[in-house]
Amino acid sequence: MTNEFIRVTYRIECVGDVEAMAAKIASDQSTGTFTELPGETEDIRRRFAARVEDIRHLPPVDAPSFPQDTGPGPFNRADVVIAYPLDAVGTDIAALMTITVGGVFAIRGISGVRVMDFDLPPAFACHPGPQFGIEGSRRLIGVERGPIIASIIKPSLGLTPEETAEMVATLCEAGADFIKDDEKLMSPAYSPLQDRVAAIMPVIRDHEQRTGKRVIYAFGISSADPDMMMRNHDMVADAGGRAAVININSIGHGGMSFLRKRSALCLHAHRNGWDILTRHPGLGMEFRAYQKIWRLLGVDQFQINGIGAKYWEPDDSFVRSFHDCMTPIFSEADRPLPVVCSGQWGGQAVETYRRTGQTLDLMYLGGGGIHGHPMGPAAGIRAIRQAWEAAEKGAELADYAKSHPELAASLTKFG
Amino acid sequence: MTNEFIRVTYRIECVGDVEAMAAKIASDQSTGTFTELPGETEDIRRRFAARVEDIRHLPPVDAPSFPQDTGPGPFNRADVVIAYPLDAVGTDIAALMTITVGGVFAIRGISGVRVMDFDLPPAFACHPGPQFGIEGSRRLIGVERGPIIASIIKPSLGLTPEETAEMVATLCEAGADFIKDDEKLMSPAYSPLQDRVAAIMPVIRDHEQRTGKRVIYAFGISSADPDMMMRNHDMVADAGGRAAVININSIGHGGMSFLRKRSALCLHAHRNGWDILTRHPGLGMEFRAYQKIWRLLGVDQFQINGIGAKYWEPDDSFVRSFHDCMTPIFSEADRPLPVVCSGQWGGQAVETYRRTGQTLDLMYLGGGGIHGHPMGPAAGIRAIRQAWEAAEKGAELADYAKSHPELAASLTKFG
């Protein structure tokens, strides 16, 4: 018997007494059922029952997060910390998710619930965590300081392997540090991964031989079938590839765990589908909680949108996500490289730098902002580098653009 | 090039023009990005672009499903069918989920979106589907007709392997056809799977030798690590076990795919966590869509709650789920056995029978309704069988209870 606890913070919302609801969650998610049972002894409850440790009341809301037919509110809210004995759960991520997350959303009478954070005991350091993380990504990519400038192949679907390789050549010439498949591209019939690897890797090697710079290409190797994903992984690694794009929600915890244990590649995670969990602020799961699970499972680089993203996510949410990635779970080594992306073209660099703690430990990923630059992709990447120089120097973009024509052109087109 | 399509039905909700939003989804989820690109040729669009095939308008709603700061509604709604070329996606479940589901929830400007259904072309029959399904489950369990009566070990957490085995003996004597671990029980330190198998299987074998009836026990083998899950699987199979409880969301598509390819066990799925996807009716995913994915991946038995469940789910939703499971995707063999559960004690049998098409092809799972029966578990199971006899005969429970004291006792305690 240990005396350690897994602490989970939930934001709960209900008509009536929040304390009673918190107690119900703690009971239902450990030893309880709908009627009293002869086998549920006091001893079992004492050793294995979850308990409510803290309740911080929040202002009630007028509208419920889940539609209710129980009449009008107010709907009371609180952040509630429930402590689960480690002995009752263990360290398996499937057990953690089943016991502390899954069932909570089924409980009758709540009008909203959101998992805000996991506070995990040291036993969870048994999970592998990132193989590369921030430092390893820098070593691999060969960029010792400053933001790692990355681009993505566009259009996201439809190019042949040869067309993709031509674009890779262009982006290498343009000065990208890192290039990646769109997350939607894995191994369709018009661009099988094998053919894409065969077309792209010679371009990467040729560029390295001519310039000394090894550009890292991340191939989309995701598959819902771990055996297939490992074949994809091996195909990339055998051809000298160093990185892969992984759609973590689509492969699931099992796919990620299986891959990480065997992986030689730097795993660049796309959280496609995460929005289902998080977009409604009263429901689902906060990124802070979500990213801890995937970091433990081995994510090296985490796409987290950016300032002014083309998607729904507000800037404040991105900033929180960035800080979450930068906060150790158990050690500095378990921090993934934050990948700032979505609608990025450099114009957001100054604000990003200011709001993320003035760090340059990030990947800055431009798609349309590079491909669509009026002076061409090389100018698109130069404009992004100029924007980050301005950020680091504390300059305003508009001022800096006066002596930097590529940045000036970006401001005119995208600003 | 094939000319097949994957058709996905979305219920979308937004201020303004639903047609425009549908077109945006189709574009974003195939070839589009935020600015015009030189590479996105007309040819690529023609071959790989998704297209809106149908729009069925629904009455607008006053309150948005995602909270909006765009001012008041109305929020327009429609069921929209988008057709994705099979060539652009392929048949990998990870590609399907990434392209047709994940990104849609990130789109700016929607106030709600729910995946209602997948209409998959025959190429998706490449997936294994259930190994047992309805017919295989009946053969395995040895119940040719009538509902398969099952029970679950309670309390859900905290019993030692020996205490669990004692309860298994009681439930075997009581006449259960099938017994299962609670979904929250996998392999914690106080009840390691190995010890549980060692304690339970002799009870099962002893009961079979004495009575000729082989009761099937489903062990909780889930792990987020597929290697560990396979060790758990092998441990059960080597000891003569025939079934396993699988927490599908906690292991993910990868875990399920890996297990199914290697499994000798009948896979009893718990959808713990599904509520996150489905509880808000304007968001997430309808069970109809969700269950197709997991059936293709190999679920044999699907827990779907029941009439009067102890959880939030309305009865109508359960009834739809039941019919979904009973509807072939590609053939009758891909139908999982529906597992009617949650707060079931027999009192719901008549209504269940009436509303599910008068079928007896189901597992009926009682926990507290069996363990907590005032005359003991054997009476609890007899009461459930009596309730199903009444259902099949078209009798009212109250009438039938007059000549069946166990059912009468259930009605008094749980009714």
Side-chain angles (χ1 to χ4, degrees):
Chain A
M1 294 290 293
T2 71
N3 196 26
E4 293 185 274
F5 291 89
I6 297 162
R7 291 183 173 81
V8 184
T9 304
Y10 306 90
R11 182 159 294 176
I12 62 175
E13 178 196 304
C14 61
V15 173
D17 187 22
V18 177
E19 281 84 355
M21 183 56 71
K24 178 171 168 52
I25 292 174
S27 167
D28 280 13
Q29 293 321 105
S30 48
T31 54
T33 184
F34 79 103
T35 183
E36 284 299 308
L37 298 173
E40 187 175 347
T41 63
E42 200 47 52
D43 179 56
I44 285 174
R45 265 195 291 271
R46 193 174 45 74
R47 287 163 59 207
F48 299 109
R51 60 196 77 168
V52 180
E53 274 200 347
D54 191 30
I55 297 187
R56 295 187 293 278
H57 289 275
L58 298 167
V61 288
D62 292 332
S65 293
F66 293 129
Q68 302 289 309
D69 51 13
T70 53
F75 298 90
N76 299 314
R77 295 191 308 149
D79 282 348
V80 169
V81 179
I82 295 181
Y84 299 83
L86 177 60
D87 285 329
V89 180
T91 58
D92 197 299
I93 297 294
L96 177 72
M97 298 304 285
T98 299
I99 295 174
T100 75
V101 177
V104 175
F105 289 82
I107 289 176
R108 191 190 276 269
I110 46 174
S111 64
V113 57
R114 185 170 176 89
V115 176
M116 301 301 287
D117 201 4
F118 296 108
D119 179 13
L120 300 169
F124 275 82
C126 64
H127 292 285
Q131 185 173 187
F132 292 86
I134 295 175
E135 294 310 313
S137 289
R138 281 203 178 280
R139 274 198 307 278
L140 181 76
I141 302 170
V143 176
E144 280 179 33
R145 75 174 301 281
I148 295 164
I149 307 302
S151 192
I152 181 168
I153 302 297
K154 291 284 177 184
S156 52
L157 297 181
L159 296 184
T160 64
E162 294 67 33
E163 290 165 340
T164 307
E166 281 173 34
M167 195 165 282
V168 172
T170 302
L171 289 167
C172 286
E173 289 302 318
D177 299 317
F178 186 98
I179 309 170
K180 66 178 283 289
D181 281 334
D182 187 274
E183 80 279 1
K184 292 193 285 292
L185 186 61
M186 292 164 236
S187 195
Y190 68 88
S191 181
L193 179 61
Q194 183 164 20
D195 297 355
R196 214 155 68 246
V197 169
I200 289 171
M201 286 311 298
V203 174
I204 298 288
R205 280 194 298 271
D206 178 63
H207 185 76
E208 183 175 5
Q209 280 168 6
R210 284 188 297 105
T211 68
K213 179 172 176 64
R214 183 175 63 196
V215 176
I216 302 297
Y217 194 91
F219 291 92
I221 67 168
S222 296
S223 169
D225 174 352
D227 299 310
M228 173 65 77
M229 188 160 59
M230 280 314 300
R231 286 198 291 276
N232 291 345
H233 166 281
D234 294 350
M235 199 187 293
V236 170
D238 290 349
R242 303 300 188 99
V245 179
I246 307 294
N247 298 320
I248 54 178
N249 297 307
S250 295
I251 66 173
H253 302 131
M256 186 69 199
S257 171
F258 191 80
L259 174 62
R260 169 64 181 89
K261 283 209 274 182
R262 294 156 173 83
S263 178
L265 304 177
C266 184
L267 303 178
H268 179 105
H270 196 288
R271 63 186 180 181
N272 171 294
W274 161 76
D275 312 86
I276 304 175
L277 293 178
T278 212
R279 186 164 175 173
H280 193 304
L283 305 177
M285 189 180 285
E286 188 77 7
F287 185 73
R288 176 163 300 171
Y290 171 85
Q291 52 100 35
K292 284 185 181 173
I293 301 301
W294 292 101
R295 284 164 64 179
L296 292 178
L297 289 171
V299 161
D300 289 306
Q301 306 178 347
F302 223 134
Q303 286 204 20
I304 54 170
N305 287 336
I307 300 287
K310 63 182 170 175
Y311 303 118
W312 71 276
E313 193 185 7
D315 292 349
D316 288 351
S317 172
F318 153 71
V319 172
R320 283 197 304 275
S321 298
F322 194 102
H323 289 296
D324 290 337
C325 288
M326 284 300 193
T327 304
I329 303 172
F330 298 116
S331 80
E332 298 262 311
D334 63 33
R335 298 180 310 156
L337 183 71
V339 179
V340 178
C341 57
S342 179
Q344 302 297 304
W345 52 273
Q348 306 94 330
V350 169
E351 187 177 348
T352 304
Y353 186 67
R354 184 173 56 75
R355 297 187 65 184
T356 57
Q358 303 200 327
T359 180
L360 299 174
D361 279 340
L362 57 92
M363 179 177 285
Y364 191 80
L365 176 61
I370 292 171
H371 297 279
H373 193 281
M375 298 156 70
I381 288 178
R382 276 200 295 278
I384 287 173
R385 294 196 190 278
Q386 291 160 3
W388 278 97
E389 288 161 21
E392 198 180 355
K393 289 175 177 167
E396 292 301 317
L397 279 191
D399 290 340
Y400 207 71
K402 287 173 188 163
S403 53
H404 295 85
E406 295 89 350
L407 180 57
S410 282
L411 283 169
T412 303
K413 173 146 189 192
F414 304 118
Chain B
M1 294 290 293
T2 70
N3 198 25
E4 293 184 273
F5 292 89
I6 296 162
R7 292 182 173 82
V8 184
T9 304
Y10 306 91
R11 181 158 294 176
I12 62 175
E13 177 197 304
C14 61
V15 173
D17 187 22
V18 177
E19 281 84 356
M21 183 56 70
K24 179 172 167 52
I25 291 173
S27 167
D28 281 13
Q29 295 319 107
S30 49
T31 56
T33 182
F34 78 104
T35 183
E36 282 300 308
L37 298 172
E40 186 175 347
T41 64
E42 200 48 51
D43 180 55
I44 285 175
R45 266 194 291 271
R46 192 173 45 75
R47 288 163 58 207
F48 299 108
R51 61 196 76 167
V52 180
E53 273 200 349
D54 190 30
I55 297 188
R56 296 186 293 277
H57 289 275
L58 298 167
V61 288
D62 292 331
S65 293
F66 292 130
Q68 302 288 308
D69 52 11
T70 52
F75 299 89
N76 299 314
R77 295 190 309 149
D79 282 349
V80 169
V81 180
I82 295 182
Y84 299 83
L86 178 61
D87 286 328
V89 180
T91 56
D92 196 299
I93 297 294
L96 177 72
M97 297 305 284
T98 300
I99 296 173
T100 75
V101 177
V104 175
F105 289 82
I107 289 175
R108 191 189 276 270
I110 45 173
S111 64
V113 57
R114 185 170 176 90
V115 176
M116 301 301 287
D117 201 3
F118 297 107
D119 179 12
L120 300 169
F124 275 81
C126 64
H127 292 285
Q131 185 173 186
F132 292 86
I134 295 175
E135 293 310 312
S137 289
R138 281 203 178 281
R139 273 198 308 277
L140 182 75
I141 302 170
V143 176
E144 278 178 38
R145 76 175 299 281
I148 295 164
I149 307 302
S151 192
I152 181 170
I153 301 297
K154 292 283 176 184
S156 50
L157 297 181
L159 295 184
T160 63
E162 293 68 31
E163 289 165 340
T164 307
E166 283 172 35
M167 194 165 284
V168 172
T170 302
L171 289 167
C172 286
E173 290 303 317
D177 299 317
F178 187 98
I179 309 170
K180 66 178 283 289
D181 281 335
D182 187 275
E183 79 279 2
K184 292 194 284 295
L185 186 62
M186 293 164 235
S187 194
Y190 68 89
S191 181
L193 180 61
Q194 184 165 19
D195 297 355
R196 214 156 68 244
V197 170
I200 290 171
M201 286 311 298
V203 175
I204 298 288
R205 279 194 299 271
D206 178 64
H207 184 77
E208 183 176 4
Q209 280 168 6
R210 285 189 295 107
T211 68
K213 179 171 175 66
R214 183 174 64 196
V215 177
I216 302 296
Y217 194 92
F219 290 93
I221 67 167
S222 295
S223 168
D225 174 353
D227 299 309
M228 173 65 77
M229 188 159 58
M230 281 313 301
R231 284 199 291 277
N232 291 345
H233 166 279
D234 294 349
M235 198 186 294
V236 171
D238 290 349
R242 304 299 188 100
V245 179
I246 307 295
N247 298 319
I248 54 179
N249 296 307
S250 295
I251 67 172
H253 302 130
M256 186 68 199
S257 171
F258 191 80
L259 174 62
R260 169 63 180 88
K261 282 209 277 182
R262 293 158 173 82
S263 179
L265 304 177
C266 183
L267 303 177
H268 178 105
H270 196 288
R271 64 186 180 181
N272 172 293
W274 161 77
D275 312 85
I276 304 176
L277 293 177
T278 211
R279 184 162 175 176
H280 192 305
L283 305 177
M285 188 180 285
E286 188 77 7
F287 185 72
R288 177 164 298 172
Y290 171 85
Q291 52 100 36
K292 284 186 181 173
I293 301 302
W294 293 101
R295 285 165 62 180
L296 292 179
L297 289 171
V299 161
D300 288 304
Q301 305 179 347
F302 223 133
Q303 284 204 19
I304 54 169
N305 286 337
I307 299 288
K310 63 182 172 176
Y311 303 119
W312 70 276
E313 193 183 8
D315 293 348
D316 288 351
S317 172
F318 153 71
V319 171
R320 284 197 303 275
S321 298
F322 194 101
H323 288 297
D324 291 337
C325 287
M326 285 301 193
T327 305
I329 303 172
F330 299 115
S331 80
E332 299 261 312
D334 62 32
R335 299 181 309 156
L337 183 71
V339 180
V340 178
C341 57
S342 179
Q344 303 296 305
W345 52 273
Q348 305 95 332
V350 169
E351 186 176 350
T352 303
Y353 186 68
R354 183 174 56 78
R355 297 187 65 184
T356 57
Q358 303 200 326
T359 180
L360 299 174
D361 278 339
L362 57 92
M363 179 178 285
Y364 191 79
L365 177 61
I370 292 171
H371 298 279
H373 193 282
M375 297 156 69
I381 288 179
R382 275 199 296 277
I384 287 173
R385 294 196 190 278
Q386 290 160 4
W388 278 98
E389 287 162 20
E392 197 180 355
K393 289 175 178 168
E396 291 301 317
L397 280 190
D399 289 340
Y400 208 70
K402 287 174 189 164
S403 53
H404 296 84
E406 294 89 351
L407 179 56
S410 282
L411 282 169
T412 303
K413 173 148 188 190
F414 305 119

